[in-house]
Amino acid sequence: MARDGHVVPVDPQTALTVKKKKQSSRNWILLDCTGQGTVLDVDKHAIMHRVQIHARDLRILDPLLSYPSTILGRERAIVLNLEHIKAIITADEVLLRDPTDEHIIPVVEELQRRLPLSNGFQFQVQGDGKEYQSGQQDGEAEEDDSPFEFRALEVALEAICSFLAARTTELETAAYPALDELTAKISSRNLDRVRKLKSAMTRLTARVQKVRDELEQLLDDDDDMADLYLSRKMSSSSPVSGSGPANWFPASPTIGSKISRASRASVATVRGDEDDIEELEMLLEAYFMQIDGTLNKLTTLREYIDDTEDYINIQLDNHRNQLIQLELFLSSGTVCLSIYSLVSAIFGMNIPYTWNDDHGYMFKWVVIVAGFASAVLFITIIYYARYKGLVGS
């Protein structure tokens, strides 16, 4: 086939050591309903041909383009763009971009653990050659009653909510001590530290808000939630259909039978009215409440920062008022000393006049009277300022 991609088996040890490419990566990991993963090095046309989505939908997952968090329901796939988690979910497989990313590796491991129906139904071949469900379900088997796409969607939502909650906790751990230190001592170092933390909080709040808005938009639109029921749409159109996108893998009876069994198990879980979206609504509401709690923590942190800024502004205003009072005292003292200097300057003029003869005792009284008058004037100014409330008591 002209559009076949090169298939590379998954090696977890190698995946941990491979460095993330700086350019737009062509690497995808495909996880089927049995949890088996295969790394694919394919172009966008092969992805579009397999999952049957448009180029504009695939462009949302381009890491070089800045798109907000989005969950789109298409005819045969769910396009998922949640921060670093960029995935395409179909009714029986998950395509995840950049599997070597350090944040994606835990998501892949969780998908491999939770996608298989290990705690659910087991198929056995009876004497008549037909497959029957057998085995018992334990307490965790209830999780496997959900369709395949919902299990994959739940892993992605849980991962992104936990990731944002962890970033929020780290920010809180660094911000609260820094704010307390700034309150205790206002310095350029503390101010710059709080400025950086506030910028980080603003960016993180925007990221959390985008995820929350996307979940809220889905919860408000029943049609959008209905579009995410891929198994229901497949069962209503053709429950067991051999047509579909071209297979990338060599013919394997084992893999084919596993996919077929899991697909039939997913179809078997679709019950009731087609308009019933209660299961998905409960799933989205649970993670909406979690991401809303994270946003509330950031809102509380922002309010604490605003309160700290108000307190610092009050302190700075108080310092400015004290400087103004000091300036008033100094200005009043300067005026009084200027008057005293004026008297001394007048008597220090080298101008001959008759009344200065035989009146040497006048020097002493001029100095005393001029100093006393200046002191009285200074006290009068300060008293008037206190009376008008210009200075503190």
Side-chain angles (χ1 to χ4, degrees), residues 105-171:
I105 292 176
V107 180
V108 174
E109 294 175 350
E110 186 67 14
L111 285 171
Q112 290 176 336
R113 186 182 69 86
R114 296 173 61 173
L115 288 183
L117 296 172
S118 57
N119 295 326
F121 301 105
Q122 296 179 355
F123 293 87
Q124 293 182 355
V125 179
Q126 303 295 334
D128 55 0
K130 298 182 179 180
E131 294 179 349
Y132 296 93
Q133 297 175 359
S134 64
Q136 298 179 350
Q137 297 180 356
D138 54 16
E140 298 179 355
E142 296 179 357
E143 299 180 359
D144 294 333
D145 290 343
S146 301
F148 173 85
E149 62 270 19
F150 289 176
R151 298 199 303 273
L153 179 61
E154 183 178 6
V155 171
L157 290 175
E158 181 180 350
I160 194 61
C161 290
S162 301
F163 174 80
L164 294 176
R167 301 290 82 77
T168 301
T169 302
E170 292 177 0
L171 184 62

Side-chain angles (χ1 to χ4, degrees), residues 162-199:
S162 301
F163 174 80
L164 294 176
R167 301 290 82 77
T168 301
T169 302
E170 292 177 0
L171 184 62
E172 287 179 329
T173 304
Y176 284 114
L179 292 171
D180 294 339
E181 185 177 353
L182 178 62
T183 303
K185 180 181 179 181
I186 302 176
S187 63
S188 300
R189 175 180 171 274
N190 292 336
L191 286 172
D192 185 67
R193 182 183 176 188
V194 172
R195 179 188 62 82
K196 293 179 180 179
L197 290 172
K198 186 176 181 180
S199 299

Side-chain angles (χ1 to χ4, degrees), residues 108 110 238 292 359 365:
V108 174
E110 186 67 14
S238 177
D292 189 60
H359 293 83
W365 288 106

Side-chain angles (χ1 to χ4, degrees), residues 214-232:
E214 182 62 25
L215 293 179
E216 185 178 15
Q217 182 179 356
L218 278 175
L219 289 171
D220 291 341
D221 196 329
D222 293 346
D223 293 335
D224 288 345
M225 284 192 287
D227 289 338
L228 302 183
Y229 277 83
L230 303 180
S231 300
R232 177 182 296 174

